[in-house]
Amino acid sequence: VEVARTIDEQYKELFEGFSKLNREDRLLRLEKMGALSREDVQYFLSGAPLSTTLAENFIENVVGYFQMPMGVAANFVINGKPYAIPMAVEETSIIAAASKTAKWIRETGEIRTEVIGKNIIGQIQIAKVKNFAALEKFILENKTRLVELANREVAQGMAARGGGVRDIELRQIARNDEGHMAVLHVMMDPCEAMGANIINQVCEYLKGPIQDETGETVTMCILSNLVDTKLTRAEVIIPSHGREADLELFKRIEEASLFSQLDPYRAATNNKGVLNGIDPILIATGNDWRAVEAGIHSYAARDGQYRSVTRWSVVDGHLRGVFEAPVILGTVGGVTRLHPMAKIALRLLGVESADELSCVCAAVGLVQNLGALKALTTIGIIEGHMKLHIKNLTLGAGAEGQEIPYVQKRLEEILALTKRITLSNAVEVLKEFRNKRLPKISPGAPLNEAPEVNP
Ligand code: MEV
């Protein structure tokens, strides 16, 4: 009871009224809660400048930076721990929907996560294997030695940290001509790194002894993004407490989920919605989101048909949602510890391991999916989306100062009436407001007299 109270208190202190605060107060709240340091807050307030020298270290032909809005998803409690979740994203309503859905779960249900497996996969291809049986025998008899060799010569640091190369497996693939291809899978625990560089180095290193000792020709070495040996699982449970309205909603969500299980056209959009929750965290923490995307999509198609990576079902009056897919990322290496914003994002999250960060991503992806399915099966996506989009349209039309609340209010009215709203509506409304406010000069009035202005 004591622990539950503490989490509750932490949660309230961090998130109560969070979305109503202005930007500075939001930052101060995060500082007060220890999620950000004074320096972090100062950095944000100074406009988060980045040196182009840093950019030159990352890529070639640098011309500058592309900036993206970064926000914090609120109300998440995952495995009983409250998180402030940094998300770098341009799409309106993603953070609002995630926070709103997380609040619903926090009030009635829970989010649990786990990582199953430890190893990532590196592939060594022998395009035209001469003698598969001999290669198989060689791997069986020598893999312990090869694993030790790789750990000693290439992955010393990783092995010292408790990870490193663990195993070598062999696969045979029928070619589209007569012959066969042999593919070696080098299995490695990358600890807190995403492991791309090290696994590629290990594979390229092993190419030498494998060629020399077997007489086979290695044709290429590269990691695989389909890491079905290390899966992240998130689960959401929401009880209905016997409420008919909740059960009705849960059944709608279950139907929507079945749709995405059975139809690849729907699965693609469903998974895009899941990635709406995951990619922004990967970007904020300096992780390779293309790698995670490739892993999730290929896992979604593992049985030959592309399906959703989430499943929702009604079990004993509870709504149960599960996300399962590889979410391979790192908290060291790459850009994560070099980009000032990625460093702040990791501090803000307070994750202690790459697995914990992976769990946060899976949880946010699943929650984001729930938010979308709830909206899609009830009010539809337009209303929620467009209400938030009104602000963008208002500014896009060029409204300023006191024009802004007027245009927003009129657009909300138009939306309620027509269920549709576009930039031209915003432009029209703004024109209407400006016309109304044009000074009316009565004939014969002295020109220097204050003009009458319509309210
Ligand atoms: C839009 O960015 C994401 C959705 O299309 C996801 C979905 O359809 O599940 C709303």
Side-chain angles (χ1 to χ4, degrees):
V1 174
E2 185 55 29
V3 172
R5 198 180 66 84
T6 313
I7 289 167
D8 234 45
E9 278 176 0
Q10 278 178 27
Y11 175 84
K12 279 208 178 105
E13 281 168 37
L14 193 54
F15 298 127
E16 213 160 60
F18 192 78
S19 64
K20 308 275 183 309
L21 300 175
N22 65 32
R23 189 171 83 94
E24 192 170 340
D25 287 342
R26 252 176 245 143
L27 287 166
L28 294 176
R29 167 84 66 91
L30 292 168
E31 184 193 349
K32 195 167 146 228
M33 295 310 302
L36 290 179
S37 68
R38 186 91 274 262
E39 293 71 44
D40 295 337
V41 173
Q42 288 303 335
Y43 182 68
F44 275 118
L45 292 178
S46 68
L50 288 168
S51 92
T52 41
T53 321
L54 182 69
E56 304 266 13
N57 291 337
F58 294 146
I59 61 164
E60 307 77 28
N61 299 353
V62 166
V63 288
Y65 280 95
F66 177 87
Q67 294 197 337
M68 186 105 85
M70 176 154 142
V72 172
N75 308 328
F76 274 86
V77 177
I78 303 165
N79 302 324
K81 177 175 168 184
Y83 287 91
I85 299 172
M87 296 176 89
V89 67
E90 87 302 343
E91 188 175 329
T92 313
S93 90
I94 284 183
I95 294 182
S99 305
K100 192 172 157 205
T101 315
K103 188 161 188 244
W104 177 39
I105 299 169
R106 168 66 188 155
E107 281 162 3
T108 53
E110 63 175 321
I111 312 173
R112 289 192 295 246
T113 61
E114 63 179 322
V115 175
I116 304 157
K118 282 185 177 305
N119 294 334
I120 59 168
I121 304 170
Q123 296 194 293
I124 300 175
Q125 186 217 24
I126 298 167
K128 292 182 180 173
V129 64
K130 293 175 204 141
N131 187 340
F132 187 83
L135 180 65
E136 196 169 29
K137 187 164 178 288
F138 170 80
I139 294 298
L140 202 69
E141 286 169 0
N142 294 281
K143 71 174 164 188
T144 311
R145 179 174 58 85
L146 292 172
V147 163
E148 279 168 12
L149 193 64
N151 281 332
R152 198 171 56 240
E153 299 300 321
V154 189
Q156 317 84 335
M158 202 135 283
R161 287 195 296 277
V165 183
R166 294 280 189 250
D167 198 6
I168 301 175
E169 292 168 4
L170 180 63
R171 295 169 56 226
Q172 187 178 31
I173 301 173
R175 294 174 55 87
N176 48 4
D177 52 27
E178 249 83 287
H180 282 89
M181 181 183 297
V183 181
L184 292 158
H185 277 195
V186 179
M187 315 303 295
M188 169 185 232
D189 176 356
C191 299
E192 302 313 321
M194 184 246 189
N197 283 335
I198 189 81
I199 190 80
N200 289 337
Q201 283 170 33
V202 165
C203 290
E204 284 189 10
Y205 171 80
L206 288 175
K207 171 181 171 174
I210 287 167
Q211 291 196 137
D212 295 349
E213 296 177 39
T214 64
E216 298 284 355
T217 305
V218 168
T219 33
M220 65 179 269
C221 302
I222 189 72
L223 63 78
S224 170
N225 289 118
L226 175 52
V227 192
D228 54 4
T229 43
K230 181 172 179 170
L231 299 171
T232 308
R233 229 168 166 272
E235 187 181 6
V236 163
I237 301 274
I238 308 179
S240 66
H241 299 296
R243 279 190 294 264
E244 266 312 306
D246 285 359
L247 266 176
E248 167 64 29
L249 172 65
F250 293 176
K251 283 186 189 139
R252 284 167 185 248
I253 292 170
E254 186 179 50
E255 277 307 312
S257 183
L258 186 64
F259 185 13
S260 63
Q261 279 300 306
L262 300 179
D263 179 10
Y265 288 90
R266 172 58 204 152
T269 324
N270 179 89
N271 291 347
K272 190 275 179 184
V274 174
L275 287 158
N276 274 348
I278 297 178
D279 282 350
I281 308 173
L282 298 171
I283 295 172
T285 56
N287 270 288
D288 181 348
W289 70 94
R290 287 91 53 212
V292 174
E293 289 254 357
I296 289 180
H297 291 304
S298 53
Y299 189 72
R302 68 195 176 284
D303 73 0
Q305 182 182 319
Y306 188 86
R307 299 179 193 280
S308 84
V309 285
T310 53
R311 276 167 197 258
W312 294 91
S313 52
V314 187
V315 187
D316 299 332
H318 290 42
L319 178 66
R320 178 171 179 262
V322 177
F323 164 96
E324 187 192 271
V327 183
I328 308 298
L329 43 71
T331 51
V332 299
V335 175
T336 41
R337 300 268 181 208
L338 295 174
H339 196 295
M341 208 52 113
K343 283 197 280 189
I344 293 179
L346 280 171
R347 259 202 300 281
L348 183 65
L349 269 162
V351 290
E352 276 157 26
S353 66
D355 281 1
E356 190 182 345
L357 180 57
S358 175
C359 284
V360 168
C361 288
V364 179
L366 183 61
V367 170
Q368 196 84 51
N369 179 231
L370 176 60
L373 296 188
K374 189 177 177 214
L376 289 167
T377 56
T378 53
I379 55 166
I381 209 74
I382 298 299
E383 197 172 309
H385 258 247
M386 290 315 258
K387 266 191 185 153
L388 284 152
H389 200 51
I390 279 176
K391 208 166 168 186
N392 288 353
L393 293 180
T394 305
L395 298 178
E400 286 171 0
Q402 61 191 133
E403 293 168 345
I404 295 173
Y406 174 84
V407 176
Q408 283 184 354
K409 191 160 175 298
R410 282 286 295 128
L411 289 180
E412 274 168 28
E413 287 164 8
I414 296 172
L415 177 67
L417 267 172
T418 64
K419 304 275 170 233
R420 237 184 128 248
I421 204 130
T422 62
L423 183 64
S424 36
N425 290 123
V427 172
E428 272 304 304
V429 168
L430 181 63
K431 212 153 58 180
E432 174 189 296
F433 181 79
R434 285 182 179 166
N435 282 343
K436 269 197 203 165
R437 287 190 56 111
L438 275 185
K440 276 191 196 157
I441 301 174
S442 34
L447 279 177
N448 58 357
E449 204 171 286
E452 181 197 334
V453 176
N454 274 351

